[in-house]
Amino acid sequence: MATLLHIDTSVFPEGGSASRAVTAAFRKTWEEQHPDGTVIYRDLGIAPLPHLDGVAASAGFSDPATHSPEQQTAFALRTELAEELERADAILIGAPMYNFTIPSTLKAWLDQVIIMGRTSGAEPSAKGTPVTVVASRGGSYAPGTPREGFEYVQNYLEAVLGGGLGLEVDFIVPELTMAPANEAMADLIPKYEASRDKALEDASAKAKALVDRFTA
């Protein structure tokens, strides 16, 4: 039985969140295709993790036998997150663009879960695990658009998830999500709808393909 690690980070509930709508479509297909599987779910928008501090960081670079009580507590969370990552056969992350980059809650998760010599380093412990990132955004930052140079979500996550954690990274990118709410973008609503529909279709297709990969 395969395990999916599902992480949502939008500050908005599913009815008002483009990224949550797509991760929900992915998970729905995953569970329909693999009802005996396991889903580990973290909603960082509702239950954010603490940002990495000096106590937790220093614990990652010292012998556990020497940890102070404070370091033990801080490192227990990092260990829990690392174990969730390592248990996963596939990972699903909702990563809406906020102010040109990822939500701070997702950055907090990354800072906690990246442990040099374990999840990161020469042989990352989750190396090769497929991760599907739903990188929604209010406008378009695609190659050739005026704001291409402001795209700091995919570029960053490709580096940290792929280069740092050794994961197999794939993106679904619903864009122009502000078009229905912004009169200045009204002409872009058809493109937004097409992007939304494709993202939902891609989510279901990618979930099914991953289930097939692990249950074949």
Side-chain angles (χ1 to χ4, degrees), residues 114-125 127 163-166:
I114 295 172
I115 303 173
M116 186 58 63
R118 180 170 178 171
T119 60
S120 184
E123 284 297 325
S125 54
K127 182 177 180 179
L165 293 172

Side-chain angles (χ1 to χ4, degrees), residues 6-44:
H6 175 188
I7 297 172
D8 275 324
T9 64
S10 174
V11 297
F12 300 108
E14 185 176 327
S17 166
S19 65
R20 286 182 187 272
V22 178
T23 59
F26 183 108
R27 179 168 169 176
K28 181 175 183 290
T29 298
W30 173 279
E31 292 179 325
E32 288 175 347
Q33 297 289 320
H34 191 38
D36 295 328
T38 300
V39 176
I40 302 169
Y41 183 53
R42 282 195 176 268
D43 190 335
L44 302 182

Side-chain angles (χ1 to χ4, degrees), residues 116-172:
M116 186 58 63
R118 180 170 178 171
T119 60
S120 184
E123 284 297 325
S125 54
K127 182 177 180 179
T129 303
V131 54
T132 302
V133 180
V134 179
S136 58
R137 61 277 314 274
S140 179
Y141 299 78
T145 61
R147 289 198 167 188
E148 175 184 357
F150 292 90
E151 207 301 303
Y152 301 115
V153 173
Q154 288 177 262
N155 291 338
Y156 170 69
L157 290 177
E158 180 67 50
V160 72
L161 295 174
L165 293 172
L167 307 178
E168 178 188 304
V169 188
D170 191 17
F171 289 97
I172 299 174

Side-chain angles (χ1 to χ4, degrees), residues 63-186:
D63 183 345
T66 68
H67 285 178
S68 67
E70 293 78 14
Q71 285 178 314
Q72 290 175 5
T73 299
F75 201 62
L77 173 61
R78 301 189 70 189
T79 300
E80 177 184 353
L81 297 172
E83 289 174 347
E84 289 178 354
L85 180 75
E86 293 160 352
R87 284 173 54 198
D89 297 289
I91 303 164
L92 172 65
I93 298 175
M97 178 185 282
Y98 291 161
N99 300 316
F100 306 119
T101 189
I102 63 172
S104 64
T105 51
L106 180 54
K107 182 61 164 62
W109 178 80
L110 288 165
D111 287 342
Q112 294 281 9
V113 82
I114 295 172
I115 303 173
M116 186 58 63
R118 180 170 178 171
T119 60
S120 184
E123 284 297 325
S125 54
K127 182 177 180 179
T129 303
V131 54
T132 302
V133 180
V134 179
S136 58
R137 61 277 314 274
S140 179
Y141 299 78
T145 61
R147 289 198 167 188
E148 175 184 357
F150 292 90
E151 207 301 303
Y152 301 115
V153 173
Q154 288 177 262
N155 291 338
Y156 170 69
L157 290 177
E158 180 67 50
V160 72
L161 295 174
L165 293 172
L167 307 178
E168 178 188 304
V169 188
D170 191 17
F171 289 97
I172 299 174
V173 187
E175 61 179 14
L176 303 169
T177 63
M178 288 297 296
N182 186 339
E183 290 185 7
M185 298 175 67

